[in-house]
Amino acid sequence: MTVELAQESIVDDRPVIFLDIDNTLYSASSQISQAMGKRIHAYFVSLGLEEERASELHHKYYTEYGLALRGLVRHHEIDPLDFDKKCDGSLPLEDMIKPDPILRKLLQDIDRSKARVWGLTNAYKSHASRVLSILGVDDLIEGVIYCDYSDPNFSCKPEPDFYHSAMRKAGITDPKKCYFIDDSRNNVAAAQRLGWGRCVHFCEQGLETVEGGKPKRIGADGKEALQDAVVIGRLVELRTVWSELFVKDS
Ligand SMILES: [Mg+2]
């Protein structure tokens, strides 16, 4: 896997599958989002904010920008790399997720003559790299599109710039050839607005997720979540919805 930015000169006619990583490649029941949420809250408090104000701003920035860190950088001038070290970097991921042979087989069965496979995350590259390595799929991912915290003006989902830069880095020019799966409705909707061809909204069945610190029931209402986006409750359903990309005799 190449986590570093790919050469922007790469051009390849094959479609690209962009896989969201967090709460998509592993179950939300891992509680990683919640553990991350607690660390982010503590980070807000460490800036001198009262508990209640910290919660308010955390939710506001997540809702407004798709990422609490985006608001922290914009309004509090914090160093994203310091945030990454204290929040994502301190997560005991090895205790929260484990190698996933079913996911590995799923990714192995994508016909590489028909598609390339990239990860796409709203975190920094080190977090993505740790997750993919623990899941045991890092060798099956060509590269990762991540939030480049070394640039104070980094982009993140669902900002259009993030998707445009994903296409540039993966060397694909036709948005119709972009396949995308994400557990966030907003992120899928943003990809659809840019004309990405085959978007899937992942609504893990029967679980609760936390968006901006507020518990939200998903699954039951997932089927009507997005117009024109396929909704699936289990990742293995990709074999059906993207059947043209999978080897036939698996
Ligand atoms: Mg996600």
Side-chain angles (χ1 to χ4, degrees):
M1 180 189 66
T2 306
V3 174
E4 293 301 326
L5 302 187
Q7 296 293 317
E8 303 214 350
S9 58
I10 296 172
V11 175
D12 191 314
D13 281 343
R14 286 173 294 164
V16 174
I17 298 176
F18 290 105
L19 302 165
D20 172 48
I21 296 174
D22 289 297
N23 285 353
T24 297
L25 296 189
Y26 59 78
S27 170
S29 66
S30 64
Q31 303 279 305
I32 289 175
S33 289
Q34 288 82 345
M36 203 180 281
K38 280 184 192 160
R39 282 162 171 75
I40 296 172
H41 179 78
Y43 198 90
F44 274 93
V45 171
S46 77
L47 300 175
L49 296 164
E50 299 288 339
E51 293 279 341
E52 198 175 324
R53 182 67 179 147
S55 298
E56 261 175 38
L57 284 180
H58 184 179
H59 181 61
K60 177 177 152 67
Y61 294 161
Y62 183 89
T63 309
E64 220 160 279
Y65 302 120
L67 194 63
L69 176 57
R70 157 67 69 231
L72 283 169
V73 172
R74 200 162 279 182
H75 303 294
H76 305 267
E77 296 180 356
I78 68 109
D79 174 5
L81 290 171
D82 178 63
F83 172 93
D84 181 64
K85 192 171 137 200
K86 291 175 179 158
C87 295
D88 292 5
S90 71
L91 288 167
L93 294 178
E94 292 77 4
D95 301 330
M96 306 175 92
I97 49 176
K98 58 183 195 315
D100 184 344
I102 295 173
L103 174 66
R104 182 169 177 81
K105 179 79 173 111
L106 180 75
L107 299 186
Q108 273 176 331
D109 286 347
I110 294 168
D111 185 339
R112 295 309 200 274
S113 72
K114 294 181 180 161
R116 298 182 287 130
V117 182
W118 282 63
L120 191 148
T121 178
N122 251 7
Y124 191 47
K125 59 183 175 181
S126 43
H127 174 74
S129 194
R130 282 178 75 201
V131 169
L132 294 173
S133 168
I134 296 169
L135 292 174
V137 297
D138 48 345
D139 58 319
L140 300 174
I141 306 279
E142 191 172 319
V144 173
I145 312 296
Y146 57 90
C147 293
D148 185 6
Y149 292 173
S150 63
D151 174 0
N153 295 314
F154 70 86
S155 60
C156 64
K157 293 179 284 182
E159 297 168 355
D161 273 359
F162 189 84
Y163 298 83
H164 291 314
S165 100
M167 290 181 67
R168 272 199 312 279
K169 287 166 190 164
I172 185 162
T173 52
D174 183 356
K176 289 193 190 64
K177 289 186 176 176
C178 293
Y179 287 64
F180 178 48
I181 179 166
D182 198 297
D183 64 296
S184 158
R185 173 196 172 101
N186 286 344
N187 294 343
V188 176
Q192 286 185 315
R193 282 195 292 276
L194 296 174
W196 281 23
R198 300 292 299 277
C199 297
V200 174
H201 185 201
F202 180 53
C203 290
E204 192 178 351
Q205 280 174 354
L207 286 178
E208 287 188 333
T209 189
V210 172
E211 292 203 356
K214 291 209 165 173
K216 176 190 151 200
R217 193 79 191 162
I218 59 170
D221 62 347
K223 296 230 176 325
E224 53 193 25
L226 282 170
Q227 223 177 359
D228 299 330
V230 174
V231 179
I232 63 171
R234 296 179 312 135
L235 275 190
V236 291
E237 291 173 61
L238 288 178
R239 290 180 185 276
T240 308
V241 300
W242 293 344
S243 62
E244 68 276 19
L245 301 184
F246 281 82
V247 292
K248 299 301 173 202
D249 55 353
S250 61

PDB file of all heavy atoms in Angstrom, residues 82-98:
ATOM      1  N   ASP A  82      -0.745  18.062  16.083  1.00  0.00           N
ATOM      2  CA  ASP A  82      -0.848  17.883  17.539  1.00  0.00           C
ATOM      3  C   ASP A  82      -2.180  17.211  17.876  1.00  0.00           C
ATOM      4  O   ASP A  82      -2.246  16.283  18.690  1.00  0.00           O
ATOM      5  CB  ASP A  82      -0.759  19.254  18.229  1.00  0.00           C
ATOM      6  CG  ASP A  82      -0.907  19.144  19.734  1.00  0.00           C
ATOM      7  OD1 ASP A  82      -0.036  18.499  20.351  1.00  0.00           O
ATOM      8  OD2 ASP A  82      -1.890  19.670  20.288  1.00  0.00           O
ATOM      9  N   PHE A  83      -3.226  17.661  17.198  1.00  0.00           N
ATOM     10  CA  PHE A  83      -4.554  17.052  17.375  1.00  0.00           C
ATOM     11  C   PHE A  83      -4.501  15.572  17.015  1.00  0.00           C
ATOM     12  O   PHE A  83      -5.007  14.720  17.749  1.00  0.00           O
ATOM     13  CB  PHE A  83      -5.550  17.784  16.473  1.00  0.00           C
ATOM     14  CG  PHE A  83      -6.920  17.160  16.401  1.00  0.00           C
ATOM     15  CD1 PHE A  83      -7.940  17.577  17.255  1.00  0.00           C
ATOM     16  CD2 PHE A  83      -7.205  16.166  15.470  1.00  0.00           C
ATOM     17  CE1 PHE A  83      -9.201  17.014  17.179  1.00  0.00           C
ATOM     18  CE2 PHE A  83      -8.465  15.590  15.396  1.00  0.00           C
ATOM     19  CZ  PHE A  83      -9.471  16.022  16.253  1.00  0.00           C
ATOM     20  N   ASP A  84      -3.876  15.259  15.910  1.00  0.00           N
ATOM     21  CA  ASP A  84      -3.818  13.863  15.451  1.00  0.00           C
ATOM     22  C   ASP A  84      -3.101  12.984  16.467  1.00  0.00           C
ATOM     23  O   ASP A  84      -3.535  11.871  16.770  1.00  0.00           O
ATOM     24  CB  ASP A  84      -3.109  13.794  14.098  1.00  0.00           C
ATOM     25  CG  ASP A  84      -3.039  12.363  13.578  1.00  0.00           C
ATOM     26  OD1 ASP A  84      -4.112  11.787  13.316  1.00  0.00           O
ATOM     27  OD2 ASP A  84      -1.932  11.817  13.456  1.00  0.00           O
ATOM     28  N   LYS A  85      -2.009  13.519  17.006  1.00  0.00           N
ATOM     29  CA  LYS A  85      -1.227  12.746  17.975  1.00  0.00           C
ATOM     30  C   LYS A  85      -2.057  12.455  19.228  1.00  0.00           C
ATOM     31  O   LYS A  85      -2.083  11.330  19.735  1.00  0.00           O
ATOM     32  CB  LYS A  85       0.019  13.569  18.343  1.00  0.00           C
ATOM     33  CG  LYS A  85       1.067  12.813  19.100  1.00  0.00           C
ATOM     34  CD  LYS A  85       2.327  13.667  19.209  1.00  0.00           C
ATOM     35  CE  LYS A  85       2.879  13.568  20.618  1.00  0.00           C
ATOM     36  NZ  LYS A  85       3.773  14.669  20.950  1.00  0.00           N
ATOM     37  N   LYS A  86      -2.785  13.486  19.721  1.00  0.00           N
ATOM     38  CA  LYS A  86      -3.516  13.334  20.981  1.00  0.00           C
ATOM     39  C   LYS A  86      -4.861  12.627  20.801  1.00  0.00           C
ATOM     40  O   LYS A  86      -5.382  12.045  21.751  1.00  0.00           O
ATOM     41  CB  LYS A  86      -3.727  14.694  21.631  1.00  0.00           C
ATOM     42  CG  LYS A  86      -2.407  15.267  22.121  1.00  0.00           C
ATOM     43  CD  LYS A  86      -2.555  16.665  22.666  1.00  0.00           C
ATOM     44  CE  LYS A  86      -1.193  17.161  23.154  1.00  0.00           C
ATOM     45  NZ  LYS A  86      -1.121  18.609  23.220  1.00  0.00           N
ATOM     46  N   CYS A  87      -5.441  12.686  19.612  1.00  0.00           N
ATOM     47  CA  CYS A  87      -6.769  12.069  19.407  1.00  0.00           C
ATOM     48  C   CYS A  87      -6.630  10.730  18.688  1.00  0.00           C
ATOM     49  O   CYS A  87      -6.525   9.690  19.332  1.00  0.00           O
ATOM     50  CB  CYS A  87      -7.688  13.034  18.672  1.00  0.00           C
ATOM     51  SG  CYS A  87      -8.049  14.513  19.656  1.00  0.00           S
ATOM     52  N   ASP A  88      -6.550  10.736  17.389  1.00  0.00           N
ATOM     53  CA  ASP A  88      -6.469   9.471  16.636  1.00  0.00           C
ATOM     54  C   ASP A  88      -5.258   8.634  17.044  1.00  0.00           C
ATOM     55  O   ASP A  88      -5.342   7.416  17.187  1.00  0.00           O
ATOM     56  CB  ASP A  88      -6.377   9.752  15.128  1.00  0.00           C
ATOM     57  CG  ASP A  88      -7.661  10.335  14.577  1.00  0.00           C
ATOM     58  OD1 ASP A  88      -8.576  10.603  15.381  1.00  0.00           O
ATOM     59  OD2 ASP A  88      -7.757  10.520  13.357  1.00  0.00           O
ATOM     60  N   GLY A  89      -4.125   9.309  17.200  1.00  0.00           N
ATOM     61  CA  GLY A  89      -2.887   8.588  17.461  1.00  0.00           C
ATOM     62  C   GLY A  89      -2.870   7.858  18.791  1.00  0.00           C
ATOM     63  O   GLY A  89      -2.086   6.926  18.978  1.00  0.00           O
ATOM     64  N   SER A  90      -3.717   8.270  19.724  1.00  0.00           N
ATOM     65  CA  SER A  90      -3.709   7.632  21.048  1.00  0.00           C
ATOM     66  C   SER A  90      -4.762   6.535  21.172  1.00  0.00           C
ATOM     67  O   SER A  90      -4.904   5.924  22.230  1.00  0.00           O
ATOM     68  CB  SER A  90      -3.942   8.696  22.138  1.00  0.00           C
ATOM     69  OG  SER A  90      -5.286   9.155  22.091  1.00  0.00           O
ATOM     70  N   LEU A  91      -5.491   6.275  20.101  1.00  0.00           N
ATOM     71  CA  LEU A  91      -6.527   5.224  20.170  1.00  0.00           C
ATOM     72  C   LEU A  91      -5.869   3.834  20.243  1.00  0.00           C
ATOM     73  O   LEU A  91      -4.979   3.536  19.449  1.00  0.00           O
ATOM     74  CB  LEU A  91      -7.415   5.269  18.917  1.00  0.00           C
ATOM     75  CG  LEU A  91      -8.388   6.432  18.785  1.00  0.00           C
ATOM     76  CD1 LEU A  91      -8.945   6.481  17.359  1.00  0.00           C
ATOM     77  CD2 LEU A  91      -9.519   6.313  19.795  1.00  0.00           C
ATOM     78  N   PRO A  92      -6.342   2.987  21.167  1.00  0.00           N
ATOM     79  CA  PRO A  92      -5.769   1.628  21.250  1.00  0.00           C
ATOM     80  C   PRO A  92      -6.393   0.718  20.195  1.00  0.00           C
ATOM     81  O   PRO A  92      -7.112  -0.243  20.503  1.00  0.00           O
ATOM     82  CB  PRO A  92      -6.149   1.196  22.673  1.00  0.00           C
ATOM     83  CG  PRO A  92      -7.426   1.925  22.967  1.00  0.00           C
ATOM     84  CD  PRO A  92      -7.367   3.223  22.205  1.00  0.00           C
ATOM     85  N   LEU A  93      -6.137   1.022  18.939  1.00  0.00           N
ATOM     86  CA  LEU A  93      -6.832   0.327  17.846  1.00  0.00           C
ATOM     87  C   LEU A  93      -6.614  -1.184  17.865  1.00  0.00           C
ATOM     88  O   LEU A  93      -7.503  -1.954  17.496  1.00  0.00           O
ATOM     89  CB  LEU A  93      -6.360   0.890  16.491  1.00  0.00           C
ATOM     90  CG  LEU A  93      -6.719   2.339  16.194  1.00  0.00           C
ATOM     91  CD1 LEU A  93      -6.148   2.759  14.844  1.00  0.00           C
ATOM     92  CD2 LEU A  93      -8.231   2.529  16.208  1.00  0.00           C
ATOM     93  N   GLU A  94      -5.439  -1.611  18.307  1.00  0.00           N
ATOM     94  CA  GLU A  94      -5.136  -3.052  18.323  1.00  0.00           C
ATOM     95  C   GLU A  94      -6.095  -3.802  19.244  1.00  0.00           C
ATOM     96  O   GLU A  94      -6.299  -5.008  19.076  1.00  0.00           O
ATOM     97  CB  GLU A  94      -3.686  -3.303  18.772  1.00  0.00           C
ATOM     98  CG  GLU A  94      -2.634  -2.837  17.779  1.00  0.00           C
ATOM     99  CD  GLU A  94      -2.397  -1.322  17.781  1.00  0.00           C
ATOM    100  OE1 GLU A  94      -3.009  -0.616  18.623  1.00  0.00           O
ATOM    101  OE2 GLU A  94      -1.625  -0.851  16.934  1.00  0.00           O
ATOM    102  N   ASP A  95      -6.669  -3.092  20.236  1.00  0.00           N
ATOM    103  CA  ASP A  95      -7.624  -3.737  21.152  1.00  0.00           C
ATOM    104  C   ASP A  95      -9.058  -3.607  20.655  1.00  0.00           C
ATOM    105  O   ASP A  95      -9.976  -4.156  21.248  1.00  0.00           O
ATOM    106  CB  ASP A  95      -7.543  -3.082  22.549  1.00  0.00           C
ATOM    107  CG  ASP A  95      -6.148  -3.189  23.138  1.00  0.00           C
ATOM    108  OD1 ASP A  95      -5.452  -4.172  22.807  1.00  0.00           O
ATOM    109  OD2 ASP A  95      -5.752  -2.281  23.897  1.00  0.00           O
ATOM    110  N   MET A  96      -9.278  -2.830  19.600  1.00  0.00           N
ATOM    111  CA  MET A  96     -10.646  -2.503  19.190  1.00  0.00           C
ATOM    112  C   MET A  96     -11.067  -3.179  17.884  1.00  0.00           C
ATOM    113  O   MET A  96     -12.245  -3.404  17.657  1.00  0.00           O
ATOM    114  CB  MET A  96     -10.788  -0.975  19.053  1.00  0.00           C
ATOM    115  CG  MET A  96     -10.369  -0.241  20.314  1.00  0.00           C
ATOM    116  SD  MET A  96     -10.397   1.547  20.145  1.00  0.00           S
ATOM    117  CE  MET A  96     -12.068   1.905  20.706  1.00  0.00           C
ATOM    118  N   ILE A  97     -10.106  -3.449  17.028  1.00  0.00           N
ATOM    119  CA  ILE A  97     -10.412  -4.162  15.778  1.00  0.00           C
ATOM    120  C   ILE A  97      -9.378  -5.269  15.578  1.00  0.00           C
ATOM    121  O   ILE A  97      -8.316  -5.251  16.212  1.00  0.00           O
ATOM    122  CB  ILE A  97     -10.427  -3.217  14.539  1.00  0.00           C
ATOM    123  CG1 ILE A  97      -9.173  -2.341  14.499  1.00  0.00           C
ATOM    124  CG2 ILE A  97     -11.691  -2.378  14.515  1.00  0.00           C
ATOM    125  CD1 ILE A  97      -9.078  -1.451  13.262  1.00  0.00           C
ATOM    126  N   LYS A  98      -9.711  -6.202  14.717  1.00  0.00           N
ATOM    127  CA  LYS A  98      -8.788  -7.317  14.498  1.00  0.00           C
ATOM    128  C   LYS A  98      -8.791  -7.715  13.017  1.00  0.00           C
ATOM    129  O   LYS A  98      -9.654  -7.234  12.257  1.00  0.00           O
ATOM    130  CB  LYS A  98      -9.182  -8.499  15.386  1.00  0.00           C
ATOM    131  CG  LYS A  98     -10.593  -9.003  15.186  1.00  0.00           C
ATOM    132  CD  LYS A  98     -10.858 -10.109  16.188  1.00  0.00           C
ATOM    133  CE  LYS A  98     -12.071 -10.955  15.923  1.00  0.00           C
ATOM    134  NZ  LYS A  98     -13.306 -10.318  15.565  1.00  0.00           N
TER     135      LYS A  98
END
